[in-house]
Amino acid sequence: SQQGEEDPQALSIQEGENATMNCSYKTSINNLQWYRQNSGRGLVHLILIRSNEREKHSGRLRVTLDTSKKSSSLLITASRAADTASYFCATVVNTGTASKLTFGTGTRLQVTL
Amino acid sequence: DAGITQSPRHKVTETGTPVTLRCHQTENHRYMYWYRQDPGHGLRLIHYSYGVKDTDKGEVSDGYSVSRSKTEDFLLTLESATSSQTSVYFCAIQTSGETQYFGPGTRLLVL
C-alpha cells in the first residue's frame, strides 16, 4: 500500500510563482525524501529530511516535516519552466537489512512562461 | 547518473516468455533495488539486495526473482511474463547517505 500520498495530483503555475506540494504518510519513518522525475527519465534525488528535523533548505527548495501530523511539504520558490516535472515524496524506514523507500503517486508540476 | 546503466532500455515480449533485466553499477555500492512504475501507483519496490547473494522481497515481488552474483550486477527475472507486468522498471543504488540514485529505466511491454 502507498505510504506517501501527494497533494495536489497536478499543479499548473506561471514562471516566477511559488509551487507547494504536500505529502502525507501513515507510519513512523526514519527520514523523508523528495525526488523529481522529468518525463521519460529516472528519478533524481532533491532533498532528504530526517525525522528529527523540521525544516530544510536547498537552493530554491524548502522542505518541512511535521511528524506529529505525518506530513511534509515541498516549496519551490521562483519557479522556472525547467522545473516542469513530476515530484515524488518517499518515506524511508530502515529495516535490519536495508532502507526501504515507499513512494507516493506524485505531483505533476507544469510551469508556463 | 551515479554510474548506473540498465539493459535493455526497451523490450517487447510475449506472454509466457521469461525476461531478464540487468542493472549494472560502476561504484561498488552495497545496496541495489528494483522498482516498477505504473500510472496511479508511483514507484513500488519489487526486490532489493544488501550484498552479493543477499536479496529480499519488496512490496510487489510475486512473479519476479532476482540474483546478484557480483557487486556490480543485479538481475531481475520475470519467470513467465504476463500483461500485468507491462511497466517501466527502474533500478536504484543507495549510497551511505541513504539517498537512492536511479537508472534510466527499462520500458517493458508484454503482449
Side-chain angles (χ1 to χ4, degrees), chain A residues 6-102:
Chain A
E6 283 96 340
D7 170 59
Q9 291 187 347
L11 181 61
S12 183
I13 60 174
Q14 291 191 320
E15 201 170 48
E17 295 180 335
N18 295 341
T20 299
M21 290 159 259
N22 302 295
C23 172
S24 59
Y25 58 94
K26 299 175 183 175
T27 63
S28 296
I29 61 173
N30 293 101
N31 65 69
L32 185 145
Q33 302 181 26
W34 285 89
Y35 287 79
R36 163 196 171 125
Q37 183 180 34
N38 289 84
S39 181
R41 307 291 295 273
L43 277 73
V44 175
H45 180 260
L46 294 176
I47 195 165
L48 179 156
I49 186 165
R50 300 199 179 279
S51 60
N52 60 354
E53 296 177 311
R54 292 296 169 259
E55 187 171 313
K56 204 162 185 180
H57 296 255
S58 177
R60 294 184 295 114
L61 305 180
R62 172 179 170 254
V63 170
T64 62
L65 178 64
D66 186 335
T67 53
S68 66
K69 295 182 179 179
K70 291 185 170 57
S71 67
S72 174
S73 68
L74 171 67
L75 169 67
I76 304 174
T77 61
S79 63
R80 305 166 182 169
D83 293 329
T84 294
S86 290
Y87 293 81
F88 295 87
C89 69
T91 54
V92 182
V93 175
N94 295 328
T95 70
T97 53
S99 296
K100 286 190 176 180
L101 272 64
T102 305

Side-chain angles (χ1 to χ4, degrees), chain A residues 2 88 103-106, chain B residues 36-44 59:
Chain A
Q2 294 299 130
F88 295 87
F103 288 84
T105 53
Chain B
R36 59 178 289 173
Q37 184 176 31
D38 305 288
H41 288 278
L43 273 79
R44 292 180 290 175
E59 179 187 0

